[in-house]
Amino acid sequence: MEQENGHKDTLAPASPRSSEESRSPHSSRHPSMRLSSLPSPNSTHRHSFSDQLRGIPPSPRSSRQPSLSHAAVQDLLNNPPTAGTADPAFAGRDWRDVTVNELVNPKDLRFVDVDTGIEAATNLLIDSGAPVLLIRTTSTEKSAIGTFDYRDLNQYLLFATGGLHPDDEHRQFLLELAKKAQQGERIPLKDAKNLGTTESFITLPHTAQLTQAVETFGSGVHRIVIVKEGTTKVTGILSQLRLVKFLWENGRHFPSLHHLYSRSIQDLGIGSQSVISINGDKPLNEALKVMNHRGISSLAVVDNSYNVVGNISTTDVKLLTKSTSAPLLDNTCIHFVSVILTTRGMNDGKDSIPVFHVNPYSTLAHTVAKLVATRSHRMWIVDSPSPSSSGPPTPASQPAVLHIPHQSLAPQAAPPFLAQSSAPVVSASAMPGAYMSGRLNGVVSLTDILNLFARATGLHPTDPGEYRRFRRGSSSSEVIRGSLDSARSSNLSLDASKR
């Protein structure tokens, strides 16, 4: 992990050890994110998180039996779900002639006004289940000037807990914003969006063909806003996952791509050994800082032998929006992985089985099936064999020499308490990572797959590594240059994303 040092100022609107959960009678079920820590002359005793969490019932995971047996889990690993029923509407058609508008639905759009408070926007993001909100200037607008997603929420959470370090140019702005937060004032989205860079705002007309989307996604862009041709009216949002799912489920109709699925990811030459991971014993707040600083949406969690034991993504930040969740930031990444799986189990009615790894000999079909089934953006490549969905079991790959740095960020203080409901803490040295998955060797993402599809059909996507470097470089500044006030005139095209 990259060492963060040389930062003297840390903006902390609130200390997670002393803030008190605040909610208005009209707020939704998610507690307020306003964290107040400055003592008032008239204030008396302020409850600590220890006081707030006393008496919390034990986790249901401690008494619930796994819903899947070992044999069932192994069968799922050996035979991931296959492509769904092909849509007959695309039979006999070339996927390159399909328009982007055929893959989006206006009913999936969720808008939020630019002056909406960060709390209300967060509640809408979580309650709606949408991966992203479109930001508009007024409630009557049908055009968007930006987006709000879980990466933005992660940035605000770091700001609220003192994890952002401003540069000289923007230190005064963040100091003033921190003061507002400390005083309990509403923080509008237009201010929260100035905390850091976000996904580039890329648009395509609704008449554009899928070839344009594949080329754009294959260059590293994660989502495209679809607008009515000749206007700025938004008709939908197309994501990498939605496009990969469409091409997978209708693969039998598209022979130009279908023949690729039976080949291994090693044979196809996709994926990268440049992978960022974190040791399971590191505190969660360190993982959030690394994702924000590096401009990435997820991290592999590894044990002391670099075996993959879990995954943390920016989407999981939704579990940290309550002030009572603040102690999780000081707990380990392995503990948070357990919380993620427990929450999914309670929501789905059964234990969640993590299937987030493949090996170099896994077929593209096996890899895509796992990505689609788990709605993931990437699969970690491990050295141990991961049985393929077709043919005989895949042989073990030759172990690769990979030295992945796991440098610690700033030293972390000990957790303020140990919650009575906490499950026993398992050290990374005690995790059976070799049995669970295998040694981390690389990563294969939706970008890699769509880049492959683009090149296989004669398109010319840019090197996605360039776009990743652009995102990481701009993220490291911690503060965007400009604001949403000028967003209308700064919508990025694919050419702009190639900088």
Side-chain angles (χ1 to χ4, degrees):
M1 287 304 169
E2 181 168 329
Q3 183 83 21
E4 286 190 6
N5 50 33
H7 301 292
K8 296 181 179 180
D9 292 334
T10 299
L11 296 176
S15 168
R17 303 186 188 185
S18 60
S19 65
E20 182 175 11
E21 187 173 307
S22 171
R23 267 185 95 171
S24 69
H26 305 289
S27 63
S28 67
R29 64 182 176 85
H30 298 285
S32 171
M33 296 179 67
R34 294 174 186 158
L35 305 177
S36 304
S37 63
L38 291 182
S40 167
N42 300 321
S43 66
T44 56
H45 173 68
R46 189 177 298 278
H47 296 291
S48 67
F49 277 119
S50 304
D51 297 328
Q52 295 179 29
L53 291 181
R54 288 195 183 108
I56 289 182
S59 167
R61 191 174 181 84
S62 60
S63 57
R64 191 173 70 250
Q65 295 299 315
S67 301
L68 294 178
S69 65
H70 172 72
V73 173
Q74 190 61 46
D75 182 66
L76 178 62
L77 289 171
N78 290 347
N79 302 285
T82 57
T85 304
D87 189 339
F90 298 100
R93 296 180 61 183
D94 190 325
W95 71 269
R96 290 166 288 196
D97 296 329
V98 177
T99 64
V100 293
N101 200 53
E102 296 179 73
L103 271 64
V104 299
N105 188 342
K107 294 182 180 179
D108 295 333
L109 298 176
R110 297 292 183 273
F111 284 90
V112 63
D113 296 349
V114 69
D115 291 321
T116 301
I118 185 70
E119 295 177 51
T122 297
N123 290 333
L124 177 59
L125 181 66
I126 295 175
D127 292 339
S128 67
V132 61
L133 303 180
L134 293 170
I135 303 176
R136 59 188 177 187
T137 54
T138 66
S139 59
T140 59
E141 284 283 344
K142 297 299 182 182
S143 59
I145 59 174
T147 58
F148 177 74
D149 58 18
Y150 285 103
R151 184 181 172 193
D152 297 308
L153 183 56
N154 183 38
Q155 289 172 337
Y156 185 78
L157 178 65
L158 288 173
F159 163 74
T161 56
L164 284 185
H165 306 286
D167 54 24
D168 292 337
E169 182 181 354
H170 298 86
R171 182 170 288 111
Q172 186 58 38
F173 166 76
L174 290 189
L175 286 172
E176 293 175 358
L177 194 63
K179 185 176 180 181
K180 288 183 180 180
Q182 290 168 349
Q183 294 174 347
E185 297 184 27
R186 185 176 66 90
I187 305 297
L189 271 183
K190 62 184 178 183
D191 286 342
K193 287 287 292 185
N194 273 328
L195 292 174
T197 56
T198 56
E199 184 76 16
S200 298
F201 191 75
I202 309 293
T203 63
L204 278 179
H206 76 287
T207 55
Q209 296 175 327
L210 285 190
T211 51
Q212 291 179 260
V214 167
E215 194 169 45
T216 302
F217 285 142
S219 300
V221 175
H222 289 175
R223 76 173 68 96
I224 301 172
V225 177
I226 309 302
V227 297
K228 186 176 181 180
E229 188 174 25
T231 73
T232 58
K233 180 182 178 181
V234 179
T235 62
I237 297 179
L238 182 62
S239 67
Q240 286 183 324
L241 182 61
R242 177 69 186 91
L243 181 51
V244 168
K245 184 174 185 289
F246 167 77
L247 295 174
W248 167 243
E249 293 179 340
N250 296 280
R252 68 187 66 177
H253 296 324
F254 311 137
S256 62
L257 299 178
H258 187 66
H259 73 282
L260 297 171
Y261 287 117
S262 61
R263 298 173 61 183
S264 72
I265 57 177
Q266 177 174 273
D267 182 40
L268 292 168
I270 61 175
S272 170
Q273 286 193 336
S274 177
V275 56
I276 302 173
S277 62
I278 190 167
N279 186 278
D281 287 339
K282 296 293 184 181
L284 175 61
N285 55 27
E286 182 174 320
L288 302 185
K289 290 177 183 177
V290 171
M291 287 193 291
N292 182 66
H293 182 71
R294 291 299 193 95
I296 56 179
S297 58
S298 67
L299 280 174
V301 181
V302 298
D303 63 14
N304 287 359
S305 297
Y306 301 121
N307 296 304
V308 178
V309 295
N311 181 85
I312 294 175
S313 73
T314 51
T315 304
D316 298 322
V317 172
K318 69 175 70 174
L319 303 178
L320 303 171
T321 56
K322 296 181 179 181
S323 59
T324 50
S325 301
L328 289 173
L329 294 171
D330 289 317
N331 214 320
T332 66
C333 290
I334 284 181
H335 177 75
F336 189 56
V337 168
S338 175
V339 172
I340 294 169
L341 297 180
T342 297
T343 303
R344 290 177 187 169
M346 289 188 294
N347 292 338
D348 299 339
K350 59 183 180 181
D351 281 350
S352 179
I353 304 299
V355 184
F356 43 72
H357 62 271
V358 293
N359 79 81
Y361 291 98
S362 297
T363 62
L364 180 63
H366 180 79
T367 304
V368 172
K370 284 189 174 183
L371 288 166
V372 171
T374 59
R375 300 189 59 80
S376 301
H377 285 256
R378 58 191 48 79
M379 283 284 144
W380 309 113
I381 302 174
V382 299
D383 280 338
S384 69
S386 176
S388 174
S389 57
S390 60
T394 52
S397 61
Q398 183 66 26
V401 178
L402 178 65
H403 301 286
I404 305 174
H406 291 276
Q407 301 173 359
S408 174
L409 298 177
Q412 303 296 326
F417 70 96
L418 292 176
Q420 295 177 358
S421 61
S422 296
V425 177
V426 180
S427 170
S429 62
M431 292 294 291
Y435 174 78
M436 295 170 61
S437 57
R439 182 179 173 85
L440 182 62
N441 185 25
V443 60
V444 58
S445 67
L446 295 175
T447 295
D448 297 320
I449 293 169
L450 289 167
N451 184 274
L452 169 69
F453 289 167
R455 291 183 287 108
T457 50
L459 301 175
H460 303 285
T462 60
D463 178 6
E466 294 183 13
Y467 187 70
R468 292 188 186 109
R469 286 188 290 272
F470 166 74
R471 293 178 63 201
R472 292 174 186 176
S474 58
S475 295
S476 63
S477 67
E478 300 285 8
V479 182
I480 62 173
R481 304 297 188 261
S483 68
L484 288 176
D485 296 334
S486 60
R488 276 201 179 99
S489 60
S490 62
N491 286 359
L492 297 177
S493 66
L494 178 59
D495 290 336
S497 72
K498 296 178 183 178
R499 288 179 291 173

